[in-house]
Amino acid sequence: MIRSTSGPAVPAEARPGSSSHTHLALTPLALTMGDPAGIGLDISLAAWLARDAHALAPFAFFGDPEALGARAAALGLDVPVAVVGDPREAQEAFATRFPVCAIACAAPVAAGTPDARNARAVVDAIDSAVLAVRDGRARAVVTNPISKAVLMTDGFSHPGHTEYLGALAAAHFGMAAPNPVMLLASEELRVVPLTVHIPLARVAGAISTEAIIATAKILHASLQSDFGFVRPRIAVTGLNPHAGEDGRLGSEDQALIAPAIAALVRDGLDVTGPYPADTLFHAAARATYDAVLAMYHDQALIPIKTLAFDRGVNVTIGLPFVRSSPDHGTAFSLAGTGGAQATSLIEALKMADAIARKRFGAGAS
C-alpha cells in the first residue's frame, strides 16, 4: 500500500534565480497520470520501484494520490508517497518516496473501467505538467497514455496528445504557429509519420511538398539538438507501392515527394528517397540512415512496433519543451492485473532526461 508523507522544503539552489544549468540540473521530469483506469498508474509505480536499477532521473507524478494508492494496494506494492506542492521537491524526495503533485479525480477510479467524470483531471495533469516546465519547475514532460474517446466526452477537441501539446505551446509559450511532430524512437529505429491521426482515405490529399519540407527540417533539427547527430541522414518513404513505380502506381511520389527531397538537398540537408516502404526497414537498410520520414501513421508505426514494441518511445519534436511518452495505449484490460510492462515508460523517462540534457545543457541530476 502507499504511505503518504509530507514533502521536503525546496532547496535554495532549485528556486527561481539559479543559473540555467544548475536550475535544470535540480528540476525533475513531470510525469502525467494519463487515464487513471488504464495502466499509467501501474507502470508509473513500477518505474519508481525500478529507479535505481535504471538510474532514472527524479520525476514528479501529476495525478491522483488516492487512485495511485488504491492501484498499489491492488498490485501488492508498498510505495511511500510524498505529496508535494512544488515538483522541485521531487529532487530530494525521489530516492525514498514517490513524489506526487496532487490532482484529484472527480470519481473513484476502477482499474480497467474508464470514467468520463475523470476526463478533466486527465487534462489538468497535462496542463499542470506543461506549466511546470514553462515556469522552470520541471525540465521535461513525460505523458502516460490517454483515452481520446473518454476525453472527448468532456469537450476535448484534439485528435491526440501531440496536437494538444501544440495548442499548449501556442497558449503558454507564445508559438504563433506550432508544428508538433510525432517521432517514434528506439535503439533500432527513429521514424516520423508525416500524417498522423487521419483516415487512410485522406492521406494522399494531406501530403504536400511544403509539409514534407517543413517536417523534414524539424526532424533534422531534432536529430542534431536532441540526439547528437552532426549531419543527420534522413530517408523518405514513398506513398505508393514501390514508391509509385515511375508513376504507374500513383503520381504522388514523383509529383510531391521527390520535389520536396530535391529542395531539402538544395538547402544542404542529407535527405534521400523516395524509397519503397517495404524494403526500408530491414537491418541493412537501417544502417544507411538515422531516421525515416514516412507518409502515414501505420507506415511508420508498424516497423518500430515490430522491432521494439516494449521499448519504443513517442517523442514530440517541434515544441519549445521536451515531451516523451511510452509508445503504447491505455491497455485497460491489463490495468491492476500486474501484467503491464513498464519498459516503454522507463525508456521514455530516460529519453526525456537525455534530450533535456542535450538540448539545454543540464548537468547531472
Side-chain angles (χ1 to χ4, degrees):
M1 64 179 183
I2 283 194
R3 304 189 303 275
S4 181
T5 63
S6 61
V10 182
E13 297 86 349
R15 294 174 189 154
S18 308
S19 71
S20 61
H21 286 196
T22 301
H23 181 69
L24 282 168
L26 292 172
T27 54
L29 309 174
L31 174 63
T32 68
M33 69 176 170
D35 192 304
I39 63 171
L41 303 184
D42 309 51
I43 60 179
S44 297
L45 290 162
W48 183 81
L49 288 169
R51 65 198 181 284
D52 292 332
H54 292 278
L56 294 182
F59 58 80
F61 180 82
F62 286 70
D64 191 322
E66 295 299 323
L68 193 68
R71 190 63 54 84
L75 295 169
L77 303 177
D78 185 11
V79 179
V81 159
V83 176
V84 298
D86 187 312
R88 286 171 292 190
E89 298 172 29
Q91 192 72 26
E92 184 176 335
F94 191 76
T96 57
R97 291 166 290 170
F98 190 126
V100 178
C101 293
I103 296 175
C105 290
V109 174
T113 306
D115 191 327
R117 292 174 294 176
N118 291 327
R120 177 46 44 192
V122 174
V123 176
D124 285 348
I126 301 168
D127 294 348
S128 298
V130 171
L131 287 173
V133 172
R134 184 200 66 179
D135 297 340
R137 294 176 290 117
R139 60 195 169 94
V141 176
V142 182
T143 59
N144 268 303
I146 59 174
S147 168
K148 294 180 283 292
V150 173
L151 297 189
M152 286 176 182
T153 65
D154 190 57
F156 189 81
S157 60
H158 304 273
H161 249 135
T162 301
E163 296 83 359
Y164 185 56
L165 292 166
L168 293 179
H172 300 311
F173 291 80
M175 290 191 75
N179 185 11
V181 171
M182 177 190 292
L183 167 65
L184 291 310
S186 70
E187 184 178 345
E188 297 88 349
L189 178 65
R190 299 170 198 86
V191 62
V192 164
L194 179 71
T195 61
V196 187
H197 298 121
I198 63 173
L200 188 59
R202 289 171 43 198
V203 167
I207 292 173
S208 69
T209 298
E210 295 74 18
I212 295 168
I213 292 171
T215 304
K217 287 184 175 181
I218 291 171
L219 175 57
H220 175 87
S222 175
L223 290 169
Q224 289 184 319
S225 65
D226 301 341
F227 295 91
F229 291 99
V230 176
R231 181 168 170 75
R233 302 167 299 166
I234 299 173
V236 180
T237 70
L239 170 66
N240 298 294
H242 307 298
E245 208 166 86
D246 296 325
R248 289 189 289 273
L249 298 177
S251 61
E252 294 86 358
D253 306 271
Q254 289 183 311
L256 301 174
I257 304 173
I261 294 169
L264 290 162
V265 171
R266 287 195 298 272
D267 285 343
L269 277 67
D270 187 349
V271 182
T272 55
Y275 296 110
D278 63 344
T279 60
L280 193 55
F281 297 103
H282 61 86
R286 295 199 307 274
T288 66
Y289 56 75
D290 303 308
V292 170
L293 174 56
M295 292 299 107
Y296 57 93
H297 184 278
D298 286 10
Q299 193 181 55
L301 270 67
I302 287 173
I304 193 164
K305 290 193 174 184
T306 300
L307 290 166
F309 184 79
D310 291 325
R311 293 175 287 103
V313 176
N314 182 350
V315 181
T316 304
I317 59 177
L319 294 175
F321 55 91
V322 177
R323 180 263 179 160
S324 68
S325 177
D327 185 23
H328 58 66
T330 53
F332 291 121
S333 63
L334 290 177
T337 68
Q341 298 295 317
T343 308
S344 186
L345 175 60
I346 289 169
E347 292 300 317
L349 290 161
K350 291 163 65 175
M351 190 169 292
D353 178 40
I355 290 175
R357 292 168 186 269
K358 286 187 175 70
R359 190 183 294 186
F360 304 120
S365 296

